[in-house]
Amino acid sequence: MAEELALTAKAEAEGSRTDWWGEAKGIFWLVVAVLGFHSLIAKPFYIPSESMMPTLLVGDRLVVTKYPYGYSYVTPTFHVLPFIKGRLFGSVPERGDIVIVTPPEARSDYIKRVVGLPGELIEMHGGILYINGRQVKREKLGIRALKIDANLTCPADHYPGALGRDAAGALVCNVQIVRETLPGGASYDTIDVGMTSADNFVPVRIPAGHVFLMGDNRDNSADSRFSLAEEGLGGPVPVENIGGRAEFLTFSLDGSASWNPLSWAGSFRSGRAGSSLHPDRPTE
């Protein structure tokens, strides 16, 4: 009887031990599954800059899908591969799409809009975009008052004379909105703060297998108009450097949250969750 009790106690002790190897394998495959999903299907993306205002604000969180244009060397979540020409199941982005892009010889991701396609001649004069010698349609929509918060500060060097107050006395950033419609009908809002060095560039012929990218905040965006030394994209970007397409906002934070969980709920911007990031296109 005593021997049976001893054997039972030994079996119970062995059964209560943590299977560390099994736990490690489980965590490993979970990490592989998450990285695989982020690399091949979709991943979250955080907006750290104002270059895509008014469409995207600092503090926005969104979903980027990886498969619409196929897969390339920048597809993996961590950009550790050297440049590899070509895409698997590849296709050229549609004009007007918002995409994430890894600048040549860089590891970080930018987010911009596709305005020019392979073979096209693109230029800008006086803040007006021209594609193949034809002016892109622009419509001034007037002033839009963007609410000031910790993530939207309206610095005077970026938005001269734009800081003001609304009827309730709240601080706002008053920016001129211009609706732009590209060939094919994709339309979206841009910000025009007046004449800047970004408003002019000489005609550029977009090479085969490349696209020309610009930010919606035209006077405050380092994009295909600027060199790599200026932290821009260095001209038209190879399609291999496109990492995915922006789909919709999940939520947006105004920057007021602290370490205290009680502050988190109050930091959410209302009315932004679920907003589509596809441009308006004419219905067939």
Side-chain angles (χ1 to χ4, degrees):
M1 185 67 175
E3 185 176 343
E4 291 178 358
L5 290 174
L7 289 173
T8 301
K10 181 180 179 181
E12 290 177 350
E14 290 177 349
S16 65
R17 291 175 187 165
T18 300
D19 181 3
W20 293 110
W21 175 240
E23 293 290 334
K25 287 194 295 183
I27 293 172
F28 171 79
W29 287 115
L30 176 62
V31 170
V32 168
V34 170
L35 290 178
F37 186 87
H38 282 187
S39 294
L40 301 176
I41 308 299
K43 76 169 188 176
F45 193 84
Y46 164 73
I47 300 301
S49 77
E50 60 192 25
S51 71
M52 282 297 293
M53 286 172 49
T55 309
L56 293 169
L57 307 179
V58 176
D60 282 351
R61 269 70 170 179
L62 55 118
V63 169
V64 170
T65 51
K66 292 300 193 74
Y67 53 83
Y69 316 127
Y71 304 103
S72 73
Y73 82 103
V74 299
T75 297
T77 298
F78 300 106
H79 302 320
V80 296
L81 298 175
F83 178 83
I84 301 172
K85 179 127 181 104
R87 298 186 74 96
L88 183 64
F89 311 119
S91 64
V92 176
E94 287 191 67
R95 195 195 309 275
D97 284 355
I98 297 175
V99 300
I100 58 170
V101 56
T102 305
E105 304 175 8
R107 301 296 180 191
S108 58
D109 288 328
Y110 287 20
I111 186 163
K112 306 294 178 185
R113 191 181 297 276
V114 178
V115 297
L117 299 178
E120 294 181 335
L121 187 70
I122 189 164
E123 57 194 296
M124 182 174 256
H125 303 290
I128 299 174
L129 188 63
Y130 292 80
I131 299 176
N132 293 330
R134 302 185 65 176
Q135 179 179 324
V136 168
K137 180 182 176 182
R138 301 172 81 246
E139 179 187 3
K140 289 189 176 182
L141 301 183
I143 299 297
R144 183 178 301 174
L146 303 177
K147 183 180 177 182
I148 296 294
D149 55 35
N151 277 337
L152 201 167
T153 57
C154 199
D157 57 335
H158 288 188
Y159 310 96
L163 187 63
R165 294 186 181 274
D166 61 15
L171 283 172
V172 293
C173 191
N174 294 305
V175 293
Q176 173 69 55
I177 302 297
V178 177
R179 186 77 167 171
E180 191 169 79
T181 302
L182 297 172
S187 60
Y188 46 87
D189 292 344
T190 67
I191 291 178
D192 183 4
V193 302
M195 292 303 298
T196 69
S197 61
D199 284 332
N200 298 279
F201 64 86
V202 298
V204 174
R205 180 70 66 180
I206 304 172
H210 289 62
V211 290
F212 200 94
L213 306 178
M214 296 178 70
D216 292 351
N217 191 355
R218 287 296 164 77
D219 300 304
N220 294 286
S221 173
D223 47 41
S224 288
R225 295 171 290 175
F226 298 94
S227 68
L228 296 177
E230 297 171 296
E231 299 185 344
L233 297 175
V237 177
V239 292
E240 288 87 352
N241 291 60
I242 303 297
R245 181 177 69 194
E247 302 292 347
F248 61 89
L249 293 177
T250 51
F251 62 94
S252 183
L253 299 176
D254 64 12
S256 64
S258 67
W259 61 268
N260 186 346
L262 296 178
S263 70
W264 296 353
S267 68
F268 285 90
R269 293 186 177 120
S270 63
R272 294 191 63 75
S275 300
S276 172
L277 296 177
H278 295 182
D280 293 334
R281 300 186 189 274
T283 56
E284 306 251 351

